[in-house]
Amino acid sequence: MTATASLVASPDAALLSDIRQRWKQGRAELLDHFAQHPLQVTPLLHGLTRLADHTLQALWAATSMPAEAALMAVGGYGRGEQFPHSDIDLLLLLPRAQGSDRALDAAAEGFITACWDSGLEIGASVRTIEACIDEAAKDITVQTALLESRFLCGHRALAEAMQAKFIQHLDARVFFQAKMREQQQRHIKFEDTPYALEPNCKESPGGLRDLQVVLWVAQASGLGRSWKELAASGVIHANTVRQIQRNETVIKRIRAHLHMLAGRREDRLVFDQQSAVAKVLGFAPTPSKRAGELLMQRYYWAAKAVEQINQIVLLDIEGRLWPQSVAKAQPIVDIDGVEDGRYVLRDGMIEPADLQLFQHQPWTLLEIFAVYQRAAGARGLSPAALRAIYLARPRMDSAFRHDPRSRAQFVRILQAPGGIVHALRLMNRTSVLGRYLWAFRRIVGQMQHDLFHVYTVDQHILMVVRNMRRFFMPEHAHEYPLCSELAAHFDPPWVLILAALFHDIAKGRGGDHSDLGAVEVRKFCKAHGIDAANTELAVFLVREHLQMSRVAQKEDLSDPEVISAFAQRVGDERHLVALYLLTVADIRGTSPKVWNAWKGKLLENLYRATLRALGGQTPQPQAELQLRQREAQRILNLYALPEGAQKPLWDTLDMGYFLRNDPQDIAWHTRKLYARVASASPVVSARLAPEGEGLEVLVYAPDRPDLFARICGYFDSQNFNILDAKIHTANNGWALDSFVVVSPHTKLHDRGMIGVIETSLLQELGSTGPLPAPHHGRLSRRVRNFPVNPRVGLRPDERGQRWILSVTAHDRAGLLFGIAQVLARHHIDLQLAKITTLGERVEDTFLVSGPGLGDARIQNIIEGELLQAIAD
């Protein structure tokens, strides 16, 4: 025994064993009860807290701690909310500084050791009163922990003296400012949204931490320690307490079950756990939604309400802490259609002059947002206005939605010259948008587990509205010049905003959401007095909002019949422009990863080709061929090629080649190949992709059955993703193929890769050995939890001359290579490849031909092998 240990009597081993056993048994009983009654989270948290209290008190006595020391609970444990695998945060309060009393130090060390030996996972600090005050002054985290301190056992007077001295030194204003900075940094860390795909139910915006911040700041300001005390202080309304507690309980349940399922502290609601938590909490799948999606929607609703309460209460407390900074209210006047003085502006924030306005005239719940759009100097709504809106939620009923004044105000919001996005987003955060548009309420917080949407449906819709508005704003004209040019001449712009607002509003109902959404927007237009022409356009856009993307990415745009059919579907230039703008805004609002310059080019090509068809220019392939050849020749003249240098190459190429390639590409191919037509050696050339990121790779080589598969195998081995492939066989038996590829591991424009590809791919083309096995990368957690049902379709085109192969699967390394191998085995010629990657899902389309495709038996074999290749 060491000299230090001999200063303290050893605790009785049998007694410690008994304490450990009681702790273990009591904890197991509480967790087992919660597993059987998964909704009863409050008894669990309080039960674990009481059990820890009793266990620590027993250990304090068993280790014969000096009577002059005190033990205090701090942090979440001090708050009385102990989750299954949260640390037990303790403060061991000593009368004298460590190092000045060996016996006291040894006793503290022995007590902490006994806690760990008994199975308690503690986080302990050992301090004097003076050390507590000093540390709190330097660290806001320590200050917050001490704010929630609770006496457990030992010298009560010492603990109370520490609490009194701490409160004496606590500056409520400094504490408020520090917590606001801390919260802002935390929100930024979690992308400043409660709608993350895998939210942290404690730390994310709208998580439990946001509620705790409110209580900390309120307590530091002397306004109360609980929601009921805040109501008594007038910070929140008494009716609001129940709403807060209900949403708080939802998130606490989820967090507790995450701990249980993981067997450790886990606060992230990751994909792997969403379905498991949903099952435990009794969420049952519906025909249109998974159980996990229903759980996430309930979580998002709760998080949204928490975020709203956090904002309202903190603004109120700020006004109480700095009452002298509250500016004098200035009446808002001279806004068309709004009574002068009905609203006031206070330090840039709008509020009704009569805070009971919304209770007496519910339609003004929409008018205040129309005022927000138009009032000069308005930055938002005041805490008083936000609180009044929150309390007026029961007034947003059927009568409110059918009131002609409400409808007129909503149309005013859509037709405002500016501030539309800000208004709609604020309306969504305050729940006004969903309570007015009942169809919108159904998609608030609805997750889309389709592997390419990264926002909930409501957030995606508002993102599309934002994108659409940017087309009309000069400061954003550089982002998408063609869209801005078209938008500048489109009238009225609010019809496009209306279509954006409704395009996905019927998601999750089952059935075709485009058709259902068209019904919803027609009902809206009828109820709101929209004229027939604009109603028809809005309905068309919602019903057809997926078509332009589908045609551009999956069909052969060089086929005059494809363009003609699409032009007939669109009808006229106005509908075409509107659909093009909505399509670009929609794809951009899906995910940062889904949009790229290549898709933009495909959409623009389809737009321009359709515009020509609508203008009466009947697609004439021969005229288009000559036009492209002349433009390509003009470009070639800039490079001083000899007269007629292009002829040997162009004579080997048919009309299909010229119609599928832009003049710029034709000129590039010609410059690289005009002197090599008679050569026996393959040619590989690469350049930076003219549109967007990645590289464009040209391959000119003798055609053979496995050529496409061998090229795909090379890109697969180098970890390149193929964005596009154009396959053409010249009449001299040589293949002229071009690919657009990107690599996730290189810079967007890495010139160094050009030489590598030109050398190593050329070597691969000389290989005659068997094709290597496809490289299989690891599946992401999203794909593992929300797999794509692989599908293969093989059908003849409208002329019956070629076949259209469509493939849908989750994206992974080696996918295209596996498809190419199957095609090579069956001697199927590939003429066109449309590679469409939507997040982590691919929808690829190939134009193919082959002698066996007309045989049903062979077709079934091919489809079976393709399914196996994409499912591996």
Side-chain angles (χ1 to χ4, degrees):
M1 181 180 295
T2 65
T4 301
S6 66
L7 297 174
V8 182
S10 299
D12 182 86
L15 179 57
L16 287 180
S17 177
D18 179 62
I19 293 172
R20 180 169 57 249
Q21 185 59 32
R22 279 187 281 135
W23 161 256
K24 183 178 179 181
Q25 181 179 342
R27 191 171 182 278
E29 289 174 356
L30 287 168
L31 296 182
D32 182 63
H33 182 270
F34 182 56
Q36 296 178 35
H37 303 84
L39 301 183
Q40 299 181 11
V41 69
T42 301
L44 171 70
L45 304 185
H46 291 170
L48 288 172
T49 300
R50 286 193 300 271
L51 177 62
D53 288 354
H54 297 154
T55 303
L56 287 164
Q57 289 161 357
L59 286 169
W60 187 268
T63 53
S64 303
M65 285 297 296
E68 55 187 343
L71 183 65
M72 305 186 74
V74 294
Y77 176 43
R79 192 166 55 246
E81 294 178 349
Q82 192 62 27
F83 283 84
H85 290 282
S86 292
D87 287 345
I88 300 173
D89 296 321
L90 300 174
L91 169 62
L92 194 52
L93 198 59
L94 304 180
R96 293 175 294 280
Q98 287 181 278
S100 61
D101 188 327
R102 294 174 59 201
L104 193 61
D105 292 348
E109 182 181 340
F111 171 75
I112 292 172
T113 300
C115 288
W116 283 104
D117 289 346
S118 299
L120 278 70
E121 296 184 3
I122 64 171
S125 55
V126 183
R127 296 192 181 103
T128 62
I129 292 177
E130 292 73 19
C132 287
I133 303 304
D134 290 343
E135 289 297 320
K138 295 184 291 186
D139 189 343
I140 189 64
T141 303
V142 174
Q143 199 171 139
T144 306
L146 293 179
L147 188 66
E148 297 185 299
S149 62
R150 177 169 58 89
F151 174 75
L152 288 174
C153 51
H155 199 295
R156 182 180 291 273
L158 182 67
E160 291 175 349
M162 188 280 295
Q163 290 174 324
K165 196 164 186 179
F166 169 74
I167 295 298
Q168 180 184 347
H169 284 78
L170 180 63
D171 186 322
R173 291 185 176 184
V174 173
F175 183 80
F176 179 91
Q177 291 172 330
K179 297 312 291 185
M180 292 306 96
R181 288 194 299 271
E182 188 180 73
Q183 176 171 284
Q184 183 181 25
Q185 292 166 358
R186 174 170 54 84
H187 283 186
I188 292 173
K189 177 182 176 183
F190 289 97
E191 300 181 352
D192 208 18
T193 176
Y195 296 105
L197 292 175
E198 298 179 301
N200 185 306
C201 60
K202 178 183 177 184
E203 300 286 349
S204 287
L208 292 174
R209 183 66 83 207
D210 278 8
L211 290 175
Q212 292 161 7
V213 167
V214 171
L215 291 175
W216 292 333
V217 169
Q219 184 179 342
S221 305
L223 298 171
R225 300 174 60 98
S226 67
W227 301 118
K228 290 183 178 179
E229 290 181 12
L230 262 65
S233 300
V235 177
I236 58 176
H237 195 277
N239 295 338
T240 306
V241 173
R242 186 169 61 255
Q243 302 288 340
I244 296 173
Q245 291 175 331
R246 183 172 70 246
N247 289 305
E248 184 179 31
T249 299
V250 167
I251 303 177
K252 284 180 177 178
R253 282 181 190 144
I254 291 173
R255 187 185 182 206
H257 283 295
L258 283 174
H259 282 213
M260 296 274 287
L261 290 167
R264 55 182 171 80
R265 176 175 174 172
E266 177 57 84
D267 298 330
R268 297 170 305 148
L269 195 47
V270 296
F271 296 128
D272 309 64
Q273 300 288 16
Q274 289 173 9
S275 297
V277 173
K279 182 178 180 180
V280 170
L281 290 177
F283 287 90
T286 68
S288 59
K289 293 184 182 179
R290 301 168 181 262
E293 290 176 312
L294 295 171
L295 167 75
M296 294 308 297
Q297 186 165 32
R298 183 65 189 91
Y299 170 82
Y300 291 135
W301 282 4
K304 178 183 173 185
V306 166
E307 187 181 42
Q308 189 175 346
I309 286 295
N310 175 272
Q311 180 188 21
I312 293 172
V313 177
L314 290 178
L315 286 172
D316 183 278
I317 294 175
E318 183 178 20
R320 292 168 183 257
L321 290 174
W322 285 273
Q324 70 278 9
S325 67
V326 178
K328 183 180 179 181
Q330 301 291 329
I332 297 176
V333 297
D334 297 330
I335 293 183
D336 185 41
V338 180
E339 180 184 323
D340 287 351
R342 193 202 301 271
Y343 302 95
V344 298
L345 198 63
R346 195 189 304 274
D347 192 25
M349 311 299 277
I350 300 174
E351 64 184 49
D354 176 7
L355 293 177
Q356 294 301 309
L357 176 66
F358 302 144
Q359 299 290 344
H360 302 316
Q361 302 182 64
W363 65 272
T364 58
L365 284 158
L366 291 168
E367 183 185 59
I368 193 173
F369 292 98
V371 172
Y372 165 56
Q373 291 176 306
R374 293 166 172 83
R379 295 185 291 107
L381 304 187
S382 74
L386 293 172
R387 186 186 299 106
I389 292 172
Y390 190 84
L391 295 176
R393 289 179 303 161
R395 302 289 289 152
M396 290 185 271
D397 54 13
S398 178
F400 160 75
R401 289 188 286 277
H402 288 83
D403 190 327
R405 293 169 295 182
S406 296
R407 292 175 171 177
Q409 292 302 326
F410 192 78
V411 171
R412 285 190 73 197
I413 291 169
L414 293 182
Q415 295 180 348
I420 298 172
V421 177
H422 292 305
L424 290 177
R425 280 179 169 171
L426 187 54
M427 290 171 70
N428 190 35
R429 286 201 300 270
T430 54
S431 300
V432 174
L433 184 56
R435 287 177 181 267
Y436 179 72
L437 285 182
W438 206 248
F440 191 90
R441 179 177 173 81
R442 297 175 64 175
I443 49 88
V444 170
Q446 180 179 314
M447 179 50 68
Q448 305 178 83
H449 287 139
D450 51 17
L451 298 185
F452 63 95
H453 280 90
V454 299
Y455 307 110
T456 55
V457 182
D458 59 319
Q459 294 301 302
H460 164 67
I461 286 175
L462 294 180
M463 187 69 73
V464 175
V465 171
R466 185 208 71 158
N467 294 340
M468 187 69 78
R469 275 293 300 149
R470 286 190 170 192
F471 296 153
F472 292 88
M473 301 168 70
E475 60 267 34
H476 294 288
H478 64 282
E479 296 176 349
Y480 295 89
L482 177 59
C483 291
S484 295
E485 178 185 345
L486 296 175
H489 299 92
F490 193 91
D491 185 60
W494 60 264
V495 179
L496 300 178
I497 301 299
L498 178 62
L501 188 59
F502 275 83
H503 80 285
D504 273 356
I505 208 165
K507 278 281 186 77
R509 297 188 191 178
D512 189 325
H513 77 277
S514 300
D515 291 336
L516 296 173
V519 173
E520 290 289 349
V521 77
R522 186 180 294 280
K523 286 166 52 180
F524 174 91
C525 290
K526 182 178 179 180
H528 290 76
I530 307 301
D531 64 86
N534 286 321
T535 295
E536 188 278 329
L537 177 58
V539 171
F540 164 82
L541 290 173
V542 174
R543 186 182 63 242
E544 304 289 334
H545 74 272
L546 297 176
Q547 292 305 317
M548 193 167 193
S549 174
R550 182 193 64 79
V551 173
Q553 298 184 58
K554 294 187 177 183
E555 297 197 29
D556 184 1
L557 301 186
S558 67
D559 188 340
E561 293 190 8
V562 170
I563 302 302
S564 178
F566 183 69
Q568 186 174 2
R569 185 164 192 155
V570 171
D572 59 41
E573 182 178 348
R574 184 167 188 255
H575 284 67
L576 173 63
V577 169
L579 185 58
Y580 174 68
L581 293 174
L582 179 59
T583 302
V584 176
D586 187 18
I587 298 177
R588 286 182 60 208
T590 298
S591 163
K593 297 180 180 178
V594 170
W595 177 264
N596 57 45
W598 186 251
K599 290 179 183 175
K601 183 181 180 183
L602 290 176
L603 287 172
E604 183 175 337
N605 289 345
L606 176 58
Y607 165 77
R608 294 190 184 281
T610 308
L611 185 62
R612 290 193 295 271
L614 290 172
Q617 296 184 25
T618 304
Q620 297 179 354
Q622 189 62 41
E624 181 66 23
L625 178 147
Q626 293 174 1
L627 180 66
R628 296 193 181 198
Q629 286 184 341
R630 284 198 299 271
E631 177 61 18
Q633 184 63 64
R634 185 191 67 79
I635 298 172
L636 289 171
N637 291 339
L638 300 177
Y639 293 89
L641 262 68
E643 182 71 23
Q646 82 285 353
K647 191 175 187 306
L649 175 65
W650 288 10
D651 285 347
T652 68
L653 302 172
D654 60 19
M655 182 180 297
Y657 166 82
F658 289 100
L659 295 182
R660 289 197 186 108
N661 289 278
D662 292 336
Q664 294 82 359
D665 293 331
I666 296 170
W668 178 55
H669 298 168
T670 304
R671 286 195 299 112
K672 296 298 179 181
L673 302 178
Y674 78 93
R676 307 289 297 275
V677 176
S679 172
S681 302
V683 176
V684 175
S685 184
R687 66 173 179 174
L688 299 180
E691 301 286 342
E693 62 185 64
L695 301 173
E696 189 171 348
V697 181
L698 168 67
V699 176
Y700 187 65
D703 197 16
R704 66 193 202 197
D706 68 347
L707 179 62
F708 179 71
R710 195 165 293 280
I711 296 171
C712 290
Y714 166 78
F715 288 130
D716 176 46
S717 68
Q718 301 300 312
N719 201 25
F720 276 95
N721 294 325
I722 300 175
L723 296 183
D724 186 72
K726 292 179 181 176
I727 312 302
H728 188 82
T729 303
N731 58 28
N732 62 355
W734 281 57
L736 197 165
D737 302 342
S738 62
F739 300 81
V740 177
V741 299
V742 294
S743 171
H745 302 302
T746 60
K747 297 179 181 179
L748 298 183
H749 283 79
D750 190 346
R751 292 183 177 275
M753 291 301 300
I754 293 177
V756 174
I757 291 176
E758 289 179 341
T759 301
S760 54
L761 178 54
L762 191 61
Q763 292 176 347
E764 178 63 27
L765 294 178
S767 174
T768 57
L771 293 171
H775 171 260
H776 290 271
R778 294 179 59 187
L779 297 182
S780 70
R781 286 185 294 109
R782 287 192 74 189
V783 170
R784 290 201 305 271
N785 287 278
F786 309 105
V788 175
N789 183 28
R791 296 194 304 272
V792 172
L794 190 58
R795 60 182 174 83
D797 66 5
E798 293 183 358
R799 300 175 186 174
Q801 298 176 351
R802 295 174 294 185
W803 292 75
I804 299 173
L805 169 65
S806 59
V807 174
T808 300
H810 62 258
D811 192 21
R812 60 167 172 79
L815 180 67
L816 187 58
F817 182 30
I819 295 171
Q821 285 184 310
V822 174
L823 300 182
R825 278 199 302 271
H826 291 275
H827 302 283
I828 295 175
D829 294 326
L830 180 63
Q831 299 174 16
L832 181 68
K834 291 270 190 170
I835 314 300
T836 305
T837 303
L838 303 170
E840 295 177 81
R841 189 178 90 197
V842 295
E843 296 181 358
D844 297 344
T845 304
F846 307 89
L847 195 63
V848 298
S849 61
L853 292 177
D855 187 319
R857 183 183 63 83
I858 295 178
Q859 184 176 335
N860 286 334
I861 293 173
I862 294 172
E863 289 182 354
E865 291 183 13
L866 286 170
L867 276 173
Q868 183 177 356
I870 65 177
D872 282 345

